[in-house]
Amino acid sequence: MREWAGNCGVTTHLDILPEALLLSPRMSTRVQDERVELLQGTLDLLILRTLQLGPMHGHAVAKAIEFRSDEVLQVEQGSLYPALHRLIKRGWIAVEEGTSENNRRAKFYRLTAKGRKQLTVETSKWDKLAGAIARILQPVEQEGKS
């Protein structure tokens, strides 16, 4: 990744690797230069889990993920909205027009019955993956004790 500062002095991150064309979701930490590539489907899981709390507009979904991660994760709009559209297409969430808390028109996303079932499936997959990674990352001195 290469940084570029345009005429306005704002630093933009440019991907120069061909893999960037795969449109993998991105999240960043509070430090702008630290980026975390998500495993495929992780953002979808986070969105589904967040919408389990109730209908929200896109900005509220991103803020809820940030808040619930103790501000470690920040969802970029360029990843959030394509993910929301993907989830709508799969029938896991639905969208309705509404008015936001600041009196603006907004699209509100909600979990569907199909999405609730998928959330259970995806959570189970995540738990298996996280457990497997945790076992691999165990310190060497614990390997004989498991």
Side-chain angles (χ1 to χ4, degrees):
M1 184 169 342
R2 192 177 283 170
E3 291 187 357
W4 172 75
N7 294 338
C8 61
V10 176
T11 301
T12 305
H13 297 277
L14 300 175
D15 287 317
I16 57 172
L17 300 175
E19 294 85 19
L21 299 176
L22 298 176
L23 298 175
S24 76
R26 287 182 177 253
M27 297 182 85
S28 61
T29 59
R30 298 293 284 167
V31 179
Q32 189 65 5
D33 292 338
E34 296 179 16
R35 293 200 178 263
V36 177
E37 292 288 334
L38 294 179
L39 293 172
Q40 186 65 39
T42 305
L43 180 56
D44 293 355
L45 172 61
L46 295 174
I47 292 170
L48 292 175
R49 176 61 182 100
T50 300
L51 291 176
Q52 189 177 34
L53 303 171
M56 294 181 202
H57 55 80
H59 182 71
V61 170
K63 288 298 178 188
I65 291 171
E66 180 179 336
F67 177 77
R68 294 188 72 205
S69 71
D70 292 329
E71 298 187 16
V72 172
L73 302 175
Q74 293 184 325
V75 182
E76 297 177 7
Q77 287 186 8
S79 297
L80 176 64
Y81 290 99
L84 289 168
H85 290 286
R86 184 172 54 251
L87 296 174
I88 290 167
K89 201 172 189 177
R90 292 177 180 164
W92 298 350
I93 65 173
V95 64
E96 297 171 358
E97 293 286 332
T99 305
S100 69
E101 56 277 351
N102 60 0
N103 245 4
R104 293 185 178 195
R105 282 185 36 208
K107 291 182 180 180
F108 283 79
Y109 303 91
R110 66 173 174 78
L111 201 55
T112 63
K114 188 175 177 182
R116 288 186 197 286
K117 289 178 186 173
Q118 193 62 34
L119 176 58
T120 302
V121 169
E122 297 301 322
T123 301
S124 176
K125 287 180 184 178
W126 178 262
D127 289 343
K128 283 182 182 178
L129 176 63
I133 292 171
R135 287 188 297 277
I136 292 168
L137 295 178
Q138 284 180 357
V140 175
E141 60 269 6
Q142 290 184 5
E143 287 182 358
K145 296 179 183 179
S146 355

